[in-house]
Amino acid sequence: MVRRVAVVGAGVSGLAAIKCCLEEGLEPTCFERSEDIGGLWRYTEHVEEGRASIYRTVFTNSCKEMMCYPDFPFPDDHPNYMHNTRLQQYICDYARHFDLLRHIHFKTLVTKIRKRPDFRATGQWEVVTQRDGKEEAAVFDAVMICSGHHIYPNLPLDHFPGIEKFKGCYFHSREYKEPEKFRGKKVLVVGLGNSGCDIAVELSTVASQVYLSSRSGSWVLSRVWDHGYPWDMVIVTRFRTWLGSILPKAVSDWLYVRGMNQLIKHENFGLMPVNRTSRKEPVFNDDLLSRIACGVVLIKPDVKEFRETSVLFQDGTVQDDVDVVVFATGYTYSYPFMEDDSIIKSRNNEVTLYKGILPPHLEKPTMAVIGLVQSFASTIPTADLQCRWTIKVFQGLCTLPPVSKMMDDIDEKMGKKLQWYGSSTTLQTDYITYMDELASAIGAKPNMLKLLVTDPRLALEVFFGPCSPYQFRLTGPGQWSGARRAILTQWDRMLRPTRTRIAPDAPSIFPIPAMLGVLFLLLLLLFTALYF
């Protein structure tokens, strides 16, 4: 019987884990190595060992209605896309509202997690922690690992011949904080991801020239989509997911490429991805295209070789007098506190988890990794539902299939990832498909047929509108009484922070009275012609 649960990390996933444990009557104890909550979103002036790091100007890429905790909407007046400081304040408000802070041990480092000798019978874990130089050990019935995957930088210098000869400065984007010290420099940013593009755009305001190197290209989208609405409220809908599932792949791929390339021709900017149909996460940046058009950011192919003061690219071009190189080459995930690392990395040193959460080979399913997935949506609602599903597994109320079936499921999903995202090891997954899979297992998936009969207005908004987090609190464990109202008013909350001036509605291009007049005139002419 699971009662005491250890939670590693007090970021957005860790807070969701604490709250979901409390909802189900469990006793969570969270260990956070830093002095405050927030994880990735808590900005610090300097990089801290063992913590995620962001630069000063980071804004969210998901809008507030799509990235909130599903039973705690953002205040109405908050902007749709937020600076990291405002999101951090929201996270603190969430923790205080649900009284989560008293369950967190700050400045406490988890140094070891190991199975108890009687694990096969009890499923218990020994968690060793360190605080102020003192080491303590405690026994827990279950463990939820919420330490994130933006801590350990991926810096593959072996892939960049000649880097040891380079006389300039080079570092991983994790070390970047602000642009001023690069004023007047020539800077090369390696990596066309969200961080790489953000940093390149920001540096272009002070550097003499910025070069942005990409191996395979990427789709680049604006946060602001059709008619000025947030991109994810337009794109992430059940209708679009359903349509993609019934269309032939060739048609689906054509529509996807057409949609991604409708605003600009990516090939004209050197951005067109090598694999156009891959559903790899696009870049969200509202300024990159204008910086390229103004010539202050130049797109370059992959680096072939570094020299003392110059860089040779794969197309044979050479860029001289490069002062700084920023490697925006992503992150790797690691769990140094696990005594037996193979519990999580059980095959070919790859993370192998059932539903992206549970190690499949454990004798007792009492360990979960929360937040180790990426999708077109935010981490917060995904982690919340992962926690709810996990706790039902801990309680024995959500039955797991045999190990062989779990491994078959993992292999099947790896094959789909290879098909859709170009890699079988990516953390990416389809948001709605994944969320519905977890929600169905615990009775939290909206029943569309039932809604259509009992609440047609809500049913239409759930299916055709944005698949916002509130949908997964309409029913099931953790049901929230405010979910229906939150769904029906989400467009109003989205508009409030942008409609800060009372403005007249735009006149219709074809006013109805004029259209009726034209129609009447045409009918009159037709009648006259027929009569005579």
Side-chain angles (χ1 to χ4, degrees):
M1 183 67 181
V2 170
R3 183 171 60 89
R4 299 186 68 230
V5 181
V7 178
V8 183
V12 295
S13 298
L15 294 177
I18 298 169
K19 178 177 175 291
C20 291
C21 283
L22 295 173
E23 285 178 338
E24 295 296 326
L26 305 184
E27 300 174 11
T29 301
C30 179
F31 302 104
E32 169 57 45
R33 69 179 295 162
S34 73
E35 61 188 17
D36 201 358
I37 62 174
L40 172 70
W41 292 103
R42 186 173 74 84
Y43 173 80
T44 56
E45 294 287 344
H46 305 286
V47 177
E48 297 178 5
E49 182 184 358
R51 280 196 69 248
S53 177
I54 57 175
Y55 35 98
R56 186 186 296 277
T57 55
V58 167
F59 280 77
T60 62
N61 286 331
S62 295
C63 79
K64 66 177 183 179
E65 294 302 315
M66 300 296 283
M67 71 170 298
C68 62
Y69 287 102
D71 53 355
F72 194 71
F74 282 92
D76 291 3
D77 60 349
H78 274 41
N80 289 310
Y81 297 100
M82 275 167 279
H83 187 257
N84 61 83
T85 52
R86 191 167 288 204
L87 179 56
Q88 173 67 6
Q89 183 58 53
Y90 166 81
I91 294 168
C92 292
D93 291 344
Y94 174 81
R96 281 193 292 269
H97 180 79
F98 291 106
D99 195 20
L100 307 181
L101 296 176
R102 63 191 177 93
H103 301 279
I104 304 172
H105 295 198
F106 292 105
K107 297 182 179 179
T108 304
L109 174 66
V110 175
T111 58
K112 194 71 66 179
I113 298 178
R114 52 180 168 239
K115 293 179 179 178
R116 294 272 292 163
D118 57 353
F119 181 85
R120 188 179 292 272
T122 65
Q124 290 182 328
W125 300 86
E126 183 178 49
V127 179
V128 181
T129 59
Q130 191 176 76
R131 177 184 168 88
D132 298 331
K134 296 179 181 179
E135 198 167 80
E136 293 184 7
V139 176
F140 291 91
D141 301 316
V143 175
M144 300 176 77
I145 299 173
C146 307
S147 53
H149 54 90
H150 291 96
I151 297 175
Y152 304 100
N154 175 40
L155 191 57
L157 297 181
D158 293 343
H159 291 73
F160 297 97
I163 188 65
E164 68 282 354
K165 304 174 190 174
F166 183 63
K167 291 185 176 181
C169 166
Y170 65 87
F171 57 92
H172 189 271
S173 58
R174 168 181 163 79
E175 308 289 328
Y176 177 82
K177 290 293 180 179
E178 53 189 11
E180 187 55 40
K181 62 180 169 181
F182 304 101
R183 182 171 294 278
K185 305 285 188 182
K186 286 186 177 181
V187 184
L188 168 65
V189 179
V190 178
L192 191 65
N194 283 307
S195 294
C197 290
D198 281 353
I199 292 171
V201 166
E202 185 167 89
L203 287 174
S204 70
T205 62
V206 297
S208 64
Q209 185 64 61
V210 176
Y211 308 95
L212 182 54
S213 169
S214 173
R215 180 177 56 191
S216 55
S218 178
W219 297 114
V220 177
L221 304 180
S222 170
R223 292 179 178 89
V224 182
W225 205 249
D226 295 346
H227 306 293
Y229 296 133
W231 72 268
D232 38 358
M233 291 188 74
V234 175
I235 291 180
V236 185
T237 69
R238 292 184 177 278
F239 173 71
R240 282 178 177 256
T241 299
W242 170 79
L243 195 62
S245 68
I246 64 169
L247 291 174
K249 188 175 185 304
V251 177
S252 177
D253 287 347
W254 179 80
L255 288 173
Y256 177 77
V257 173
R258 182 176 178 272
M260 288 294 184
N261 216 30
Q262 67 179 349
L263 294 180
I264 62 145
K265 293 186 70 175
H266 281 65
E267 55 268 40
N268 290 349
F269 289 81
L271 297 168
M272 178 65 75
V274 173
N275 185 354
R276 302 183 182 193
T277 61
S278 169
R279 269 48 169 193
K280 176 184 173 183
E281 183 183 10
V283 169
F284 291 97
N285 195 290
D286 303 299
D287 303 308
L288 179 63
L289 299 177
S290 67
R291 306 313 287 171
I292 296 172
C294 293
V296 290
V297 174
L298 296 180
I299 302 298
K300 303 295 289 184
D302 198 15
V303 173
K304 184 175 183 179
E305 181 187 8
F306 282 96
R307 297 168 182 173
E308 289 187 353
T309 60
S310 62
V311 181
L312 172 64
F313 295 97
Q314 289 289 353
D315 61 357
T317 59
V318 176
Q319 183 55 54
D320 296 319
D321 303 321
V322 175
D323 301 300
V324 181
V325 180
V326 182
F327 287 99
T329 44
Y331 293 82
T332 185
Y333 27 89
S334 179
Y335 305 95
F337 45 76
M338 291 296 298
E339 185 172 77
D340 183 3
D341 195 40
S342 67
I343 291 176
I344 296 176
K345 296 184 177 182
S346 62
R347 186 172 60 183
N348 300 326
N349 204 38
E350 296 173 358
V351 172
T352 311
L353 300 170
Y354 179 62
K355 306 297 184 190
I357 303 171
L358 292 181
H361 293 289
L362 286 176
E363 298 92 334
K364 297 283 185 179
T366 56
M367 173 173 279
V369 181
I370 305 299
L372 196 62
V373 295
Q374 286 179 306
S375 69
F376 236 24
S378 168
T379 298
I380 291 177
T382 306
D384 181 83
L385 189 53
Q386 284 184 320
C387 290
R388 292 162 66 196
W389 180 85
T390 295
I391 289 167
K392 290 304 176 186
V393 172
F394 286 169
Q395 295 175 323
L397 301 177
C398 186
T399 307
L400 299 177
V403 173
S404 60
K405 294 289 186 182
M406 286 193 280
M407 293 306 298
D408 288 344
D409 184 77
I410 291 170
D411 289 338
E412 179 185 350
K413 286 182 170 57
M414 282 186 170
K416 289 181 179 178
K417 286 181 178 183
L418 185 63
Q419 176 184 3
W420 289 103
Y421 307 115
S423 170
S424 61
T425 59
T426 180
L427 299 180
Q428 276 193 255
T429 187
D430 180 76
Y431 175 69
I432 295 178
T433 303
Y434 180 70
M435 296 287 277
D436 278 351
E437 191 175 335
L438 295 181
S440 295
I442 62 172
K445 179 184 175 182
N447 186 325
M448 294 306 305
L449 290 178
K450 182 179 178 181
L451 283 179
L452 196 59
V453 173
T454 60
D455 196 338
R457 181 187 173 199
L458 180 62
L460 291 174
E461 186 64 28
V462 166
F463 188 71
F464 291 103
C467 186
S468 48
Y470 321 116
Q471 292 193 12
F472 300 100
R473 289 272 182 173
L474 281 169
T475 186
Q479 180 180 355
W480 178 44
S481 60
R484 180 184 184 275
R485 182 176 183 278
I487 292 170
L488 296 178
T489 57
Q490 57 196 352
W491 291 102
D492 297 331
R493 286 192 303 279
M494 180 275 298
L495 287 171
R496 180 170 176 181
T498 57
R499 287 189 171 179
T500 54
R501 180 181 76 86
I502 299 175
D505 292 334
S508 175
I509 296 175
F510 297 104
I512 292 177
M515 290 179 66
L516 292 175
V518 170
L519 182 61
F520 175 76
L521 182 61
L522 290 174
L523 290 174
L524 182 61
L525 290 173
L526 179 62
F527 174 78
T528 303
L530 290 174
Y531 182 79
F532 289 103

